[in-house]
Amino acid sequence: MSAPMMPFIDLAAQRARIGDQIEVAVRRVVRHGAYIMGPEVFELEKQLAAFCGAKHVVSCASGTDALTLVLLARGVGPGVAVLCPSFTFAATAEAVALLGGTPFFVDVLPDTFNMDPESLAAAVAEARAQKLNPAGVISVDLFGQPADYDAIEAICAREGLWLLCDAAQAFGASYRGRQLGTFGLATTTSFFPAKPLGAYGDGGAVFTDDDELAEVLRSLRVHGQGVDKYDNVRIGVTGRLDTIQAAVLLEKLAIFSDEISARNAIASRYAQGLREVAIPPVVAEGCESVWAQYTIRLKPGQRDGLVAALKEAGVPTACYYPVPLHRQTAYRAYPRAGGELKTTDQLAREVLSLPMHPYLTAEAQDRIVGAAARHLR
Ligand SMILES: *Cc1c(COP(=O)(O)O)cnc(C)c1O
């Protein structure tokens, strides 16, 4: 008989801590009735800006909308290419393709899983040679760790490209002492419930220091409105964050720093226990991750057996990402750096994500590490 399954992400444990406060906050919104663009939305934007040091925060309906709003503002559409990794969640490239632009896939680094600056530089040259008109780059801070911003920003500056940072998995993380939200032209995040800072539904935000961009984003999220809602100065979307979600997020933001510390302690403990039997994730020098996922690398052929052994021990696992975007039906026709993405393909075969959330007990972690070590030894 197999053991009962522990949760992969334990949202119930967080509810036990702040569930009452969240319910009071939600009831307050239900009673005041400003369900759209209520005071909590603006308070959240203010607190998020203070948290990361960005000048402007424009909340919106999802992490995908956040990407789309910035791309719309930059005029991405047919005849424009945007470079992005293939080893990411579909939304990164989807936002480009949905607007008619061309996602150009770039390889990642084997240790951090983030965009490989060398592959990026090569891809820019290739895109130019193919007359694809590269206009910008979307970096992804995968599994909670910032991409290599010194290198990526330098390439963007040299090549005249804007940089959009997809921090859907990494809000709260920092790079060389600077919080995500302050790099590139803009940074986006997601408040999907399973992300490190998750709502009780969909939500997202854009962070930028650019006054003009912030104003355009605020217009785009309400149908391209001008001076009032019956003045339409551009084509936009219905992209607002619900007031109820903002109220939930305000309560969660209050404990977010504490949760990030807990995630980091858990990640260190995992690394200690797993070092001998697998390749634990590498945090680059000067980076702090928020550990949206704890993703190890295994030897070829080990993954399926380990998944089954852990399942038997009551430990759920997930594979992010088994099929990279450049091999997906919807995206395989788009160009990629050097014709193939070797590291991306290799990682897709080797990675496995283990349970990770701030409330993972030492006891549960010992069970996970013990079961993995027993199987892999
Ligand atoms: C989750 C995610 C998104 C999309 O966020 P949604 O809020 O679900 O739209 C975009 N990019 C990455 C890398 C993600 O992990």
Side-chain angles (χ1 to χ4, degrees):
M1 219 190 67
S2 39
M5 272 287 169
M6 65 173 71
F8 187 69
I9 293 178
D10 194 351
L11 294 174
Q14 190 194 47
R15 279 196 57 73
R17 179 176 176 187
I18 55 164
D20 288 348
Q21 288 98 299
I22 290 177
E23 280 164 34
V24 168
V26 168
R27 195 166 56 221
R28 201 180 306 127
V29 177
V30 169
R31 290 183 181 169
H32 74 47
Y35 307 132
I36 299 292
M37 293 308 222
E40 287 80 358
V41 171
F42 299 100
E43 179 59 25
L44 177 69
E45 290 181 344
K46 206 173 98 194
Q47 289 195 21
L48 288 170
F51 189 94
C52 71
K55 188 168 177 198
H56 302 281
V57 177
V58 180
S59 62
C60 60
S62 70
T64 309
D65 268 9
L67 291 166
T68 305
L69 288 169
V70 177
L71 297 177
L72 266 173
R74 281 288 122 175
V76 169
V80 174
V82 177
L83 299 111
C84 68
S86 165
F87 196 59
T88 177
F89 181 62
T92 308
E94 182 185 40
V96 176
L98 192 66
L99 295 176
T102 304
F104 195 114
F105 294 116
V106 172
D107 213 350
V108 291
L109 295 164
D111 53 352
T112 63
F113 314 137
N114 277 330
M115 188 180 260
D116 177 353
E118 262 178 51
S119 177
L120 173 63
V124 175
E126 266 183 82
R128 291 238 159 86
Q130 292 170 29
K131 306 245 180 302
L132 290 172
N133 188 23
V137 173
I138 306 180
S139 57
V140 176
D141 307 305
L142 203 70
F143 304 147
Q145 171 167 212
D148 184 354
Y149 283 113
D150 282 350
I152 293 170
E153 284 193 323
I155 292 169
C156 288
R158 190 181 74 214
E159 300 290 344
L161 304 169
W162 45 257
L163 173 63
L164 169 54
C165 312
D166 180 353
Q169 303 179 8
F171 181 67
S174 63
Y175 178 86
R176 311 222 154 137
R178 243 169 88 194
Q179 289 273 320
L180 292 189
T182 60
F183 293 87
L185 167 72
T187 298
T188 57
T189 200
S190 164
F191 303 127
F192 182 82
K195 308 280 179 176
L197 181 61
Y200 281 180
D202 281 309
V206 183
F207 304 81
T208 185
D209 284 352
D210 187 314
D211 299 342
E212 212 179 301
L213 176 65
E215 198 184 313
V216 173
L217 294 172
R218 289 200 178 97
S219 160
L220 284 168
R221 82 173 160 189
V222 258
H223 308 288
Q225 84 171 25
V227 290
D228 63 51
K229 64 173 151 178
Y230 301 110
D231 178 32
N232 305 108
V233 295
R234 51 178 69 81
I235 309 283
V237 298
T238 316
R240 296 164 300 233
L241 177 72
D242 281 2
T243 309
I244 287 179
Q245 299 307 336
V248 171
L249 287 164
L250 279 167
E251 298 304 319
K252 292 208 185 189
L253 189 59
I255 60 162
F256 190 43
S257 293
D258 181 57
E259 290 189 336
I260 293 171
S261 304
R263 286 174 183 272
N264 274 288
I266 289 161
S268 310
R269 213 158 175 276
Y270 260 144
Q272 292 283 330
L274 293 165
R275 190 159 289 144
E276 319 248 293
V277 292
I279 306 176
V282 173
V283 179
E285 213 194 303
C287 283
E288 193 188 71
S289 178
V290 292
W291 302 103
Q293 302 295 340
Y294 190 85
T295 304
I296 58 172
R297 283 174 61 194
L298 298 161
K299 294 202 189 85
Q302 279 185 328
R303 188 165 62 192
D304 290 352
L306 179 60
V307 169
L310 287 174
K311 191 172 168 201
E312 190 65 24
V315 178
T317 54
C319 183
Y320 304 110
Y321 296 91
V323 183
L325 296 185
H326 73 286
R327 297 198 177 276
Q328 297 279 356
T329 308
Y331 298 97
R332 64 182 163 223
Y334 290 113
R336 64 204 66 160
E340 61 173 343
L341 304 176
K342 275 203 180 129
T343 305
T344 296
D345 283 332
Q346 187 191 346
L347 290 174
R349 290 188 297 267
E350 296 180 354
V351 290
L352 187 68
S353 301
L354 302 176
M356 170 50 93
H357 58 83
Y359 305 96
L360 191 64
T361 60
E363 207 176 6
Q365 235 189 333
D366 289 346
R367 221 167 98 203
I368 299 164
V369 171
R374 268 194 305 281
H375 177 79
L376 294 169
R377 270 223 174 86

